[in-house]
Amino acid sequence: MSYSQVKSEEPTSPAEIPRAHLLKFLIPSLIGVLLFLVPFQVGDSINIGMGLMADGLQTLLGAALPAIAVVILCLSVVVTLYAKLAKPDWAKNGPFHDMFDVSAIWVVMRILGAIFVLMTFFQFGPEFVTASFTGGVMLNDLAPVLLTFFFFAAILLPFLVEFGFMEFIGTMVRKPFRVIFNLPGRSAIDATASWMGSGTVGVLITAQQYEQGYYNGREASVIATNFSVASIAFSLLVTNFVDINHLFVQFYFTVVVSGLIAAVIVSRIPPLSRKSDDYYEPVGCQLSEERTEKVGLFRYSLLQATRRAGSAPGPRELGRIALLNVIDIFLTLLPLVFAIGTVALILAEFTPLFTWLSYPMVPVLELLRIPEAQAAAPATLVGFADMFLPAVLATNIESELTRFVIACLSMTQLVYMSEIGALLLKSKIPIKFWELAVVFLLRTAITLPIIAFMAHTFFF
């Protein structure tokens, strides 16, 4: 998140744009686009520049990453307790106050995350915590990815959001996004970053834009819960896992169509439609979409972008922002992800909760002519715990059509507590747990019939 901005004189027409401002917009923005939005073919997989860097770091650190996660989560608890009990000067105000002088519930969550990670790493305590498919998934599978991905995301996101690219694209596509989704055009960047890179990156961008005053509470809630689409790379992983990789084009087309329809509908009905249009109080509204200059759309977009670039932070401030982002994500987000994710996986793997909840889904699946409805029903709801769990359950289903439907549905439900949900609850975005659950169910109810219709009509 940006904690300060540098003021500068603004040009009033494209003819007055200083060359330095233009270059300050073009060069960093091009770097940001190449890092976050341009997919590359690497062997048999598709990735983005930042993802390749994260993969390289993951390969370099290898088996040390789970141990690093243990140290980070324990450090989070130590610093938080010190800030709460000793009340040092550095925690009395500013960003460190927001990070560490938190309410009791967040202190408990950080302690719980540290306990889970210690139990899993050293393999002591109850099996439902330390099992390879609960705490083991969080520590050995998810934590290394999050550590490396978030590290580079925190450092490199300013290239995408601080130098005018959001303003340029946002102005260009403002009208269609307002008409279709009732959202600012700059939200197109969140969606693209999610599709090409990671849904968590999209949420990080949304949270930062809300805290900087460019989205109001309703817009941030809608964007975070409807545009945080899983990346192409993760989608390829899921299709391979459920053995429908030969249908990837049909699969991703179905995901995009059903996901966009759901975004149009869910953004216009409760609970999201009733969210406040108030902006984050400490900064207020910083977004101006009123077009005053009588120039073409492209030139006006360029003017808006260079205005933003002209007031972008300098190298020292960018370094400070990046460091604060890394500290914020590692010491406040990761413990929450580990605590909530482990509990969600325990409920999914060691209790019949999701099986019980899915009983009403059996007649729905039968009505939609989905084979093996009884076996498929739990997979339609277990994605609330973790996005990958439906794919795990689908591997035991023989029907290719059913596996296709489950895989598509898991990609369009979007709200899963092991990662996106935890990130949203930790952020300043005004959205509650029950609202996340309702949005998950709404997206399930909307996308499931669309996916089933497309599968029956076009692909099977």
Side-chain angles (χ1 to χ4, degrees):
M1 63 200 72
S2 177
Y3 292 96
S4 68
Q5 289 190 354
V6 180
K7 298 289 184 182
S8 70
E9 294 184 4
E10 295 183 347
T12 57
S13 71
E16 298 178 20
I17 296 174
R19 182 173 178 176
H21 288 192
L22 183 62
L23 291 176
K24 199 174 180 181
F25 157 61
L26 290 174
I27 296 174
S29 296
L30 180 60
I31 294 172
V33 169
L34 291 174
L35 288 172
F36 286 94
L37 305 180
V38 177
F40 297 94
Q41 180 80 31
V42 182
D44 295 330
S45 64
I46 297 174
N47 209 334
I48 57 171
M50 194 204 70
L52 294 175
M53 296 169 71
D55 290 346
L57 182 60
Q58 190 172 345
T59 301
L60 178 65
L61 297 178
L65 282 169
I68 293 172
V70 173
V71 172
I72 288 174
L73 266 66
C74 291
L75 180 63
S76 171
V77 172
V78 171
V79 176
T80 301
L81 291 178
Y82 179 70
K84 292 291 290 182
L85 300 176
K87 303 290 184 182
D89 290 341
W90 54 263
K92 289 182 179 177
N93 49 59
F96 290 125
H97 172 79
D98 295 336
M99 292 180 198
F100 299 111
D101 193 1
V102 292
S103 62
I105 182 63
W106 299 120
V107 175
V108 171
M109 295 300 286
R110 291 178 191 182
I111 294 173
L112 191 62
I115 292 172
F116 285 160
V117 78
L118 285 168
M119 292 171 65
T120 304
F121 186 78
F122 292 106
Q123 285 294 294
F124 69 90
E127 183 188 359
F128 60 79
V129 173
T130 62
S132 61
F133 42 84
T134 52
V137 167
M138 298 302 300
L139 179 60
N140 301 315
D141 297 336
L142 189 58
V145 175
L146 293 183
L147 280 172
T148 54
F149 216 91
F150 280 161
F151 176 75
F152 286 110
I155 293 175
L156 301 174
L157 264 180
F159 286 106
L160 200 63
V161 301
E162 297 282 0
F163 293 94
F165 185 66
M166 299 285 286
E167 281 71 17
F168 180 76
I169 297 297
T171 306
M172 289 288 290
V173 302
R174 175 171 60 88
K175 286 188 176 179
F177 261 69
R178 277 295 179 197
V179 171
I180 299 172
F181 303 111
N182 194 23
L183 294 172
R186 63 200 298 119
S187 58
I189 306 298
D190 303 55
T192 307
S194 299
W195 286 332
M196 298 304 170
S198 165
T200 53
V201 170
V203 174
L204 284 176
I205 294 174
T206 304
Q208 291 189 1
Q209 293 291 289
Y210 173 69
E211 292 175 31
Q212 292 176 8
Y214 293 106
Y215 296 148
N216 61 40
R218 179 190 59 80
E219 292 166 347
S221 300
V222 169
I223 295 164
T225 55
N226 288 276
F227 289 93
S228 302
V229 185
S231 67
I232 293 177
F234 185 79
S235 300
L236 284 165
L237 173 65
V238 168
T239 54
N240 277 301
F241 193 79
V242 299
D243 197 24
I244 58 167
N245 51 301
H246 57 289
L247 295 170
F248 180 77
V249 174
Q250 297 92 319
F251 160 84
Y252 208 74
F253 176 71
T254 303
V255 168
V256 170
V257 170
S258 56
L260 289 176
I261 293 173
V264 172
I265 298 173
V266 174
S267 64
R268 286 172 164 79
I269 59 177
L272 296 182
S273 65
R274 293 182 178 175
K275 304 295 288 185
S276 169
D277 284 334
D278 294 337
Y279 286 82
Y280 186 48
E281 188 172 342
V283 295
C285 178
Q286 301 295 316
L287 178 65
S288 175
E289 292 192 325
E290 292 299 323
R291 185 170 169 182
T292 55
E293 290 82 353
K294 297 190 180 300
V295 294
L297 178 60
F298 178 82
R299 288 192 175 188
Y300 182 69
S301 302
L302 188 62
L303 176 60
Q304 295 293 89
T306 52
R307 281 175 175 170
R308 172 65 169 163
S311 63
R316 171 175 280 188
E317 180 63 13
L318 284 174
R320 177 176 173 271
I321 292 170
L323 179 61
L324 288 171
N325 282 341
V326 171
I327 294 172
D328 191 14
I329 290 171
F330 278 20
L331 296 186
T332 71
L333 172 61
L334 284 179
L336 187 62
V337 170
F338 207 97
I340 294 178
T342 304
V343 171
L345 290 173
I346 289 170
L347 291 175
E349 297 285 356
F350 282 94
T351 75
L353 176 64
F354 285 99
T355 301
W356 292 343
L357 293 175
S358 68
Y359 284 150
M361 296 301 296
V362 175
V364 173
L365 293 173
E366 290 175 343
L367 181 65
L368 296 173
R369 296 185 292 119
I370 305 298
E372 301 178 68
Q374 192 81 33
T380 61
L381 297 181
V382 75
F384 187 63
D386 183 81
M387 183 179 279
F388 198 62
L389 283 177
V392 173
L393 297 183
T395 56
N396 298 319
I397 294 174
E398 292 185 12
S399 169
E400 187 172 78
L401 184 150
T402 304
R403 296 199 307 273
F404 178 90
V405 169
I406 290 172
C408 290
L409 184 65
S410 71
M411 294 293 104
T412 60
Q413 290 168 322
L414 300 189
V415 181
Y416 54 104
M417 296 310 299
S418 66
E419 196 172 336
I420 297 294
L423 179 53
L424 285 172
L425 291 176
K426 181 262 169 192
S427 74
K428 301 287 195 305
I429 297 173
I431 192 163
K432 300 178 177 64
F433 174 81
W434 72 266
E435 292 171 324
L436 293 177
V438 171
V439 170
F440 173 86
L441 293 174
L442 286 173
R443 292 189 63 87
T444 301
I446 293 166
T447 60
L448 179 57
I450 298 170
I451 293 167
F453 171 78
M454 293 181 69
H456 282 301
T457 306
F458 303 115
F459 310 132
F460 291 91

